[in-house]
Amino acid sequence: MSDAAPRRHARVRAPELAGRGGWVNTGGRPYRLAELRGRIVVLEFWTFCCVNCLHVIDELRYLEERHPDTVVVVGVHSPKFAHEGEHGAVVDAVERYGVAHPVLDDPELVTWKQYAVRAWPTLVVIDPEGYVVAQYSGEGHVRAIERLVTELEREHAAKGTLRRGQRPYVAPAPEPTVLRFPGKALVLPSGNFLVSDTARHQLVELAADGESVVRRIGQRDRRGLEDGDAARALFSEPQGLALLPDGTVVVADTVNHALRRLDPRSGRTTTLAGTGSPWRWGDRTDGPAREVGLSSPWDVAWWRDRVWIAMAGIHQLWVYDPRAGTVAVAAGTGNEGLVDGPAAEAWFAQPSGLAATPDRLWIADAETSALRWADPDGVVRTAVGTGLFDFGHRDGAAGQALLQHPLGVTALPDGSVAVSDTYNHALRRYDPRTGELTTLATDLREPSGAVLAGDDIVVVESARHRLTRLRLPEETLGPPPAAVEVTEVAAGEVRLEVAFEAPPGQKPDTRYGPATRLLVDATPPGLLLSGGGADPALSRTLRLDPAVGEGVLHISATAAACDDDTEVPYPACHLHRRDWDVPVRTAPDGPARLELTLAPGQAL
């Protein structure tokens, strides 16, 4: 946390708080700043998609505990995504993340604009006389804010302008649901489901029906980091789950910034990685797992003999090596955005879901509304998605399709993947063979993950507090087609050459024009920037889009040749043709030529 000295602003009267959505956590009562006069008010401008905002909510708990009768924290919810503008979604998020202070729902950013806020999260400190005295952007400022609060308490106590009292917070009534905002699920070897019951800080084992509780692991509604048996263990907003080859389960204990290990046989929990405190810039990024800080690990997957970690808090992928007991960065610079390429150069934005197949680690990259993958060679690519502010619900070719803040991805038997498209309340399917994104199901309230169970897919409907079983389409249930060798080519321009030579005794038939024809297109269509279509020449320059990176070139070549016998007035003619489907992948050092041969024996 920042130890910077408190920063004072010139005395500017704090603008009034206004938001069309109204107030949450106040028992329905609206508040004006005048009613909070005499207290030190800390405004937190946040949006519930933003992991840095969630970090600040955790930091502010410390401030609220240390100064319960002088500090009033007010969250001002200022949405980014369309879904976040729904009042019901804000109410859900406040409960989901354990926000224990009043929240103003400002879907039109009225208060945001009044305070000239430019980034999530932003903190504004207002003194007991109603003047803005400091403003901070980002996370890690709570220590500096506490020093400022202590200074303001002393100053205004001396002036007689400090008023102590209880915080204006009314907790929501508890709901009697079996699960409360569950995050992820997996199928245990027994056939039962293990679910991360995120808002209640537990793991819950359900019977194969997905409804009957077998047991609960961890103390309900208590945050903490404590190992032990099922009744003693403590978690804090656990999310991702991964089954290891030895039958144990790795848990992404998100707000504890730790990886935990559950033995389903004994119900005992131990800590594998993390210090319990969030990683900060300048901290080490590899070493003994219990000595290195993590940052909001959101999902985990077993791939290539390692536990891969979607480190949402710092926009990276990390790995935990169980044999060595170490952790290390595997991909991502830590910058937030969407940049493909070698793992060390890639950018992510809150990776929140993982699914492993033999040749790919699929990634739900939430803040860029993207589906991405890493290959065994350490290269990161994007299937669907283009940037931090490009989102929606659109099916079709990957280059045009849209998602909205997906949190989960699930590998399907046919080689396609199901995407838990969280803010679209939908389950989507991406098929890498066709480059198409389709919708499998809608009316799923904030799906955050899914798991296969026989011929069904069981979806974690987080905001409906349940698991929902859906039948998979028949075409997704078969095994994937045999692996096809992928040809690496240069990113950018590639010269395509199709060689043809008329067989002995024949010559090209040019009586009615060119004797050859070449037709080229691609899947997905966006792979081919130029060079598609039909043309007589058997060579041309193709321009491939490195942002798409991978796909299939569909090439069809034909050549006409006639018997070369001057004594025959009407010689027999032959049409030679071949079709190729060439899987290609662009690479910076890939060859700039693609050579194919139309053999004379390939005739129609």
Side-chain angles (χ1 to χ4, degrees):
M1 297 182 184
S2 173
D3 290 322
R7 295 173 289 177
R8 292 289 194 106
H9 280 204
R11 285 173 64 85
V12 176
R13 180 67 69 182
E16 190 51 79
L17 304 179
R20 180 173 55 78
W23 289 80
V24 185
N25 277 357
T26 64
R29 176 183 171 181
Y31 275 90
R32 296 179 60 82
L33 279 176
E35 299 174 78
L36 303 177
R37 198 65 51 80
R39 309 287 188 87
I40 300 162
V41 178
V42 178
L43 304 181
E44 184 212 3
F45 290 86
W46 69 298
T47 186
F48 64 78
C49 72
C50 164
V51 71
N52 307 95
C53 300
L54 304 184
H55 291 171
V56 169
I57 289 171
D58 296 327
E59 293 173 3
L60 289 174
R61 291 191 181 102
Y62 167 86
L63 187 68
E64 291 173 301
E65 290 169 2
R66 298 264 297 182
H67 302 268
D69 60 347
T70 58
V71 171
V72 175
V73 175
V74 175
V76 182
H77 189 267
S78 312
K80 168 188 171 182
F81 288 98
H83 171 58
E84 294 174 308
E86 300 173 14
H87 182 69
V90 177
V91 173
D92 283 348
V94 167
E95 180 187 350
R96 180 197 302 269
Y97 298 117
V99 179
H101 50 248
V103 173
L104 173 65
D105 180 12
D106 182 19
E108 295 166 342
L109 305 183
V110 173
T111 299
W112 167 285
K113 294 171 185 174
Q114 287 292 314
Y115 281 83
V117 175
R118 295 288 182 269
W120 297 279
T122 291
L123 295 167
V124 176
V125 181
I126 302 171
D127 74 11
E129 294 180 290
Y131 290 94
V132 173
V133 293
Q135 183 166 319
Y136 303 82
S137 294
E139 59 181 281
H141 301 294
V142 72
R143 300 289 187 186
I145 292 173
E146 190 194 13
R147 289 199 300 277
L148 175 57
V149 163
T150 301
E151 183 181 305
L152 290 170
E153 285 174 340
R154 193 164 49 244
E155 175 185 329
H156 288 272
K159 292 173 63 176
T161 50
L162 183 69
R163 178 169 60 88
R164 298 178 182 270
Q166 292 186 334
R167 292 184 291 133
Y169 165 65
V170 178
E175 298 287 346
T177 53
V178 172
L179 303 171
R180 203 70 189 159
F181 298 104
K184 309 286 185 182
L186 61 74
V187 178
L188 294 168
S190 66
N192 290 348
F193 293 96
L194 185 67
V195 185
S196 52
D197 195 16
T198 305
R200 288 188 175 142
H201 317 298
Q202 288 185 314
L203 308 179
V204 179
E205 183 178 348
L206 300 177
D209 62 9
E211 298 178 2
S212 306
V213 176
V214 176
R215 60 176 167 169
R216 294 181 181 271
I217 299 156
Q219 299 179 44
R220 179 167 169 167
D221 296 325
R222 283 196 61 199
R223 295 177 183 270
L225 178 55
E226 185 170 339
D227 292 335
D229 61 24
R232 179 180 175 182
L234 290 171
F235 299 90
S236 187
E237 297 183 29
Q239 288 279 353
L241 307 166
L243 188 65
L244 300 188
D246 65 1
T248 62
V249 175
V250 174
V251 182
D253 195 4
T254 304
V255 178
N256 276 327
H257 310 287
L259 294 189
R260 314 290 291 281
R261 174 184 177 271
L262 169 69
D263 184 344
R265 295 175 290 270
S266 66
R268 184 170 182 80
T269 298
T270 53
T271 300
L272 294 176
T275 63
S277 297
W279 183 94
R280 297 293 185 191
W281 288 107
D283 290 353
R284 64 192 299 184
T285 55
D286 60 73
R290 293 295 303 274
E291 298 175 16
V292 179
L294 309 182
S295 182
S296 295
W298 211 276
D299 203 6
V300 282
W302 179 253
W303 191 55
R304 302 180 68 78
D305 299 322
R306 302 285 190 276
V307 176
W308 288 69
I309 310 164
M311 202 74 78
I314 47 176
H315 318 298
Q316 292 178 321
L317 302 181
W318 286 38
V319 289
Y320 166 71
D321 183 340
R323 289 190 293 260
T326 57
V327 292
V329 175
T333 63
N335 292 321
E336 185 177 14
L338 194 155
V339 175
D340 288 343
E345 301 172 12
W347 292 23
F348 297 95
Q350 290 179 215
S352 302
L354 300 175
T357 65
D359 61 343
R360 292 184 181 184
L361 180 70
W362 292 96
I363 306 148
D365 203 26
E367 275 294 285
T368 53
S369 298
L371 173 65
R372 307 175 73 184
W373 82 87
D375 66 24
D377 295 326
V379 178
V380 176
R381 307 182 192 280
T382 298
V384 179
T386 55
L388 284 165
F389 294 92
D390 302 319
F391 56 86
H393 189 154
R394 183 192 299 155
D395 286 343
Q400 304 297 319
L402 294 173
L403 301 161
Q404 187 181 183
H405 200 80
L407 291 178
V409 59
T410 307
L412 300 181
D414 70 330
S416 64
V417 291
V419 181
S420 295
D421 192 6
T422 309
Y423 288 2
N424 279 327
H425 313 297
L427 188 69
R428 316 285 291 281
R429 175 179 175 242
Y430 174 72
D431 188 341
R433 291 165 295 177
T434 65
E436 295 282 319
L437 183 71
T438 56
T439 298
L440 294 175
T442 56
D443 192 31
L444 298 167
R445 190 70 183 170
E446 292 192 17
S448 55
V451 62
L452 298 181
D455 290 346
D456 296 337
I457 188 166
V458 177
V459 181
V460 181
E461 273 200 273
S462 188
R464 282 202 178 108
H465 320 292
R466 70 186 188 190
L467 303 187
T468 298
R469 186 181 293 263
L470 303 173
R471 177 66 66 175
L472 280 168
E474 288 295 326
E475 64 267 23
T476 68
L477 298 176
V484 181
E485 183 177 353
V486 176
T487 300
E488 284 201 343
V489 293
E493 291 192 350
V494 175
R495 187 68 180 172
L496 171 63
E497 302 276 358
V498 177
F500 173 75
E501 184 175 339
Q506 295 182 21
K507 65 179 180 180
D509 179 15
T510 58
R511 291 173 298 169
Y512 306 106
T516 57
R517 181 176 183 269
L518 182 64
L519 175 66
V520 180
D521 62 8
T523 300
L527 174 66
L528 197 56
L529 294 175
S530 65
D535 192 84
L538 290 182
S539 62
R540 71 176 68 170
T541 298
L542 310 179
R543 201 156 65 85
L544 306 182
D545 188 350
V548 176
E550 184 167 325
V552 178
L553 292 176
H554 308 291
I555 302 167
S556 178
T558 56
C562 298
D563 292 341
D564 187 13
D565 188 341
T566 58
E567 297 182 1
V568 177
Y570 301 105
C573 292
H574 313 271
L575 184 65
H576 305 271
R577 172 177 168 177
R578 184 170 181 188
D579 298 326
W580 296 268
D581 290 322
V582 184
V584 296
R585 178 188 303 133
T586 62
D589 56 351
R593 292 178 68 86
L594 178 60
E595 297 179 347
L596 304 171
T597 300
L598 175 56
Q602 295 158 337
L604 295 179

